[in-house]
Amino acid sequence: MSFKVPLTPISRPAKASVGKTGLWRFLKPVIELKKCKKCGLCWMYCPDIAVTFDEMGFPHINYDFCKGCGICANECPTGAIKMVREGL
Amino acid sequence: MLMKAVYEIRWHGRGGQGVVTVAQLLAEAAVREGKYAIAIPYFGAERRGAPVVASNRISDKPIRSRSSVKEPDVVVVLDPNLPFMVDVTEGLREGGLLVINAPSPNNLPFKGLKAAVVDATGIALSLGLKLAGLALVNMPMLGALIRATNIVSLESITAVVKNRWSRRVGELNVKGIIEAYNKVQVVNL
Amino acid sequence: MTSRMDVKKLVLTSNYAAAYAAKLARAEIISAYPITPQTTVVEKLAEFIERGELKAKMIRVESEHSAMAACIGASATGARVFTATSSHGLLYMYEMLWWAAGARLPIVMGVVTRAIAPPWNIWTEHADILSPRDSGWLIFFAESAQEVLDMILQAYKVAENEQVLLPVMVGWDAFISSHTAEPVDVPSQEIVDEFLPPRKSAAFLLDVKDPVSHGNLVFPDFYMEFRYLMQRGMESARDIIRKVDEEFGKIFGRRYGGLIEKYRCDDAEYALITLGGSSGDAREAVDKLRENGVKIGLCRIRVIRPFPVQDVVECLSNKEGVIVVERDISMGLCGVLATEIASVLFMNGIQPKFASFIAGLGGREVSVEDFLKMLDFSLKEFQRGNKRVGPHWYGVKEEVIP
């Protein structure tokens, strides 16, 4: 094996060290931007920092890391976020 | 019914999907039928979403080995995305069976395998079998497994599930089992 | 003006000798919690810092568990770290001991050996320092105040060796060493600096500019490899300890013989085995028996971990009989030293006559006369054809046992 263990294990900061956790999802949040009032609650409540804003101030989901927990859909005051089943 | 001395099953799922629980229930049902059975969890990174494994051994004789199942007769896959992350059919015996949660048998990444396919996620969602954002697909997968293998009877499974949970939750879980039992499709991939 | 070869002859207790050693080693971080009979070690160090004689940071903590945790954090930044404890304090930091060793941190700690309660007892016994012998700490044991000073300096050199990188505890006996004042040659800072330059080695470093975290989960598929590496560090340490002792001898003019110290052992038919501060009395007893024509020698264990396997085998392979006298009892078996020596002998196919004594628990004195009685008894039993003697609880007051 070319990989050698160090004397004692250490880890360095890494983005999503368990990989693209979007694979865990079976429901995905879909934002209907027409209903969105840009309040930012989805961004605030997202436990995975998977909500980002575009230059217009609209939220978008980073599906690479969104685990599909549905908290954003639950918090959205205008019902702009729907959880949609994902097929294989 | 048992084809060989020790019948071995390996369950693949994610943390939170109930892999450990379902393996225990299967063992309980087998014991209820007078067989010997054990359920062996593998505790890895104990967090939601991480791939997890559990194993069952079922036999007419006392079971001695507690090590993980390496050459299973059946592999049960609770999450359709797992085959892209883990070699779920590793060591599956010649003529072995894959029981998998998928919306349909089309586009499954396997070839030359006998598979029992059921849309366990769809069944769980339609029945409201959900916990903390995860679809509880373990019960439907148990239903699919026993239909495809006859390893234990539907009656035994129903009994242990109702014994485990209170009336309403027990009924709901049994519904999930029966729906998958009726809907599972056995195909050759 | 002081020259590098200047030596100050001071009358010091082992505790003060330890404080002088930590100062001469230029310990940068000291964290400890007071416990009798260790307290004066850290008091003296606090005094050195207060007077500006030692540039070190003293981290005050609320327990020994925290003291070791502070040492672990400090050592992980690359600092040279010192602490000291005893008995219950050592047991309280037991979990942290394993963290320090597993993290491969070259911390040096003084352990003033003391019995464990109940019944409450502040006097010497080796139960405390022998408890963590599986933890990955190197365990040294000194006999005199001079050896405490020298051993602590050597301990840093061994611990910080790239091939070792493991913490070291240096033990000495409560009161009979810790509070007994005796002459000590205190070397100059210049010459100690030559022997022990600033620490450079580390398995990893905590550095805000290059952040890492330590203490990660390692799954069964790699945990064993890390333990293997610790054991390799231990195995390497044997030779490093011998080399450091040699180098020390060249610079300071004092050598101790490495992992064991042999006294009149080479032509001896019998070997007495001891640990710690009572070994001087054992030496006296050996001399007395020699005067009577008994060919006996002393083998004093200086290093308990790594266990001096080769040294013990070489020393004992040609002996008619071996007598182990120790201040500890592994409840439910026998003395720790006797067990370990018997195991090393067995694994190397050596089968001398063997006597084992538990003596001096809870600080009960083990004097020259006591050694003579135990040796006399053993030799008579050997002569009567008994190959295995004991384990005996020497001097236990049978008349008060219900």
Side-chain angles (χ1 to χ4, degrees), chain C residues 112-137:
Chain C
V112 189
T113 60
R114 164 186 153 178
I116 295 164
W120 200 245
N121 179 294
I122 57 171
W123 296 274
T124 190
E125 189 183 310
H126 301 156
D128 53 1
I129 198 167
L130 291 172
S131 295
R133 64 190 185 280
D134 303 334
S135 67
W137 280 67

Side-chain angles (χ1 to χ4, degrees), chain C residues 300-342:
Chain C
R300 177 171 68 92
I301 305 291
R302 297 184 70 238
V303 176
I304 300 156
R305 284 293 181 275
F307 197 81
V309 176
Q310 259 182 300
D311 315 69
V312 163
V313 166
E314 273 165 30
C315 178
L316 303 183
S317 59
N318 59 353
K319 300 292 178 269
E320 174 80 15
V322 172
I323 303 122
V324 182
V325 177
E326 59 191 307
R327 276 189 198 268
D328 65 87
I329 168 72
S330 174
M331 291 291 176
L333 187 56
C334 63
V336 170
L337 275 189
T339 315
E340 299 201 338
I341 284 163

Side-chain angles (χ1 to χ4, degrees), chain C residues 111-186:
Chain C
V111 176
V112 189
T113 60
R114 164 186 153 178
I116 295 164
W120 200 245
N121 179 294
I122 57 171
W123 296 274
T124 190
E125 189 183 310
H126 301 156
D128 53 1
I129 198 167
L130 291 172
S131 295
R133 64 190 185 280
D134 303 334
S135 67
W137 280 67
L138 281 72
I139 305 178
F140 297 179
F141 210 114
E143 179 188 348
S144 65
Q146 183 71 63
E147 195 182 11
V148 167
L149 187 143
D150 295 347
M151 212 177 225
I152 287 173
L153 297 178
Q154 293 186 12
Y156 279 110
K157 189 109 174 166
V158 173
E160 292 171 11
N161 186 291
E162 295 271 0
Q163 286 173 274
V164 180
L165 278 173
L166 286 167
V168 183
M169 54 182 87
V170 175
W172 60 93
D173 286 89
F175 302 110
I176 61 172
S177 295
S178 70
H179 288 61
T180 300
E182 52 191 319
V184 177
D185 286 346
V186 179

